[in-house]
Amino acid sequence: MALTEASRRAVFEEWMRRALAVAADPAGVPPDDVPVGAVVFGPDGGELAAGRNERELTGDPTAHAEIVALRRAAAVTGSWRLTGCTLVATLEPCTMCAGALVLARVSHLVFGAWEPKTGAVGSLWDVVRDRRLPHRPEVSAGVLEAECAALVRDFFRNGRR
């Protein structure tokens, strides 16, 4: 039985609330890390892995929330191929993260806020929909956009803590 568009949207909003919780959780994360959260859900809808920005924590420039979540999901599944999985991110992925989710064969990307400075899913570039690539995930943008945007906007408005 296929989900209606309204019930699909409700599932995406529930998943985005989980990603927002991951982004906002200060436990173990330096206050300078931008609060972005990402969660990978398996084909059955169960959570496989979550991550948040850890660049300041790890000193790793690639430790964006999406990359952290993808690495953890691959470790859980035992495969780099995340076919059938959905990546939910509070912020539009950058070129690195968009490329990684394409290479990981993620089937669906759900994101909240647009990122006009570095976004690669329609803002500056559209990596995930490039017809030259062999894999293009389905995209659902703007899910709980206001809440996702407020988290990052408030972080920068208040200054890095």
Side-chain angles (χ1 to χ4, degrees):
M1 179 174 116
L3 292 175
T4 66
E5 189 56 37
S7 58
R8 230 170 94 106
R9 187 73 176 190
V11 168
F12 294 160
E13 287 179 1
E14 177 186 332
W15 288 354
M16 187 60 73
R17 284 187 188 88
R18 172 67 179 126
L20 279 163
V22 170
D25 183 6
V29 179
D32 287 352
D33 269 316
V34 179
V36 176
V39 183
V40 178
F41 293 92
D44 65 353
E47 183 177 323
L48 291 176
R52 65 162 285 157
N53 277 353
E54 296 181 357
R55 291 186 303 172
E56 299 297 330
L57 176 69
T58 62
D60 178 355
T62 70
H64 290 200
E66 300 93 331
I67 300 295
V68 172
L70 288 170
R71 286 178 179 155
R72 290 176 179 163
V76 167
T77 64
S79 174
W80 61 267
R81 290 179 184 88
L82 298 175
T83 307
C85 294
T86 299
L87 174 66
V88 179
T90 58
L91 192 64
E92 177 185 6
C94 69
T95 52
M96 175 184 67
C97 295
L101 71 94
V102 166
L103 293 173
R105 311 296 194 267
V106 168
S107 296
H108 197 142
L109 167 65
V110 176
F111 73 87
W114 293 91
E115 174 43 278
K117 294 180 182 178
T118 62
V121 187
S123 288
L124 289 180
W125 301 281
D126 202 346
V127 172
V128 300
R129 293 185 193 98
D130 190 319
R131 294 195 177 277
R132 296 169 293 183
L133 296 175
H135 176 75
R136 290 181 299 282
E138 181 180 354
V139 176
S140 299
V143 176
L144 300 182
E145 182 176 2
E147 295 92 324
C148 293
L151 189 63
V152 175
R153 184 180 57 247
D154 292 347
F155 173 80
F156 285 109
R157 183 176 289 150
N158 297 330
R160 292 183 184 249
R161 293 163 283 179

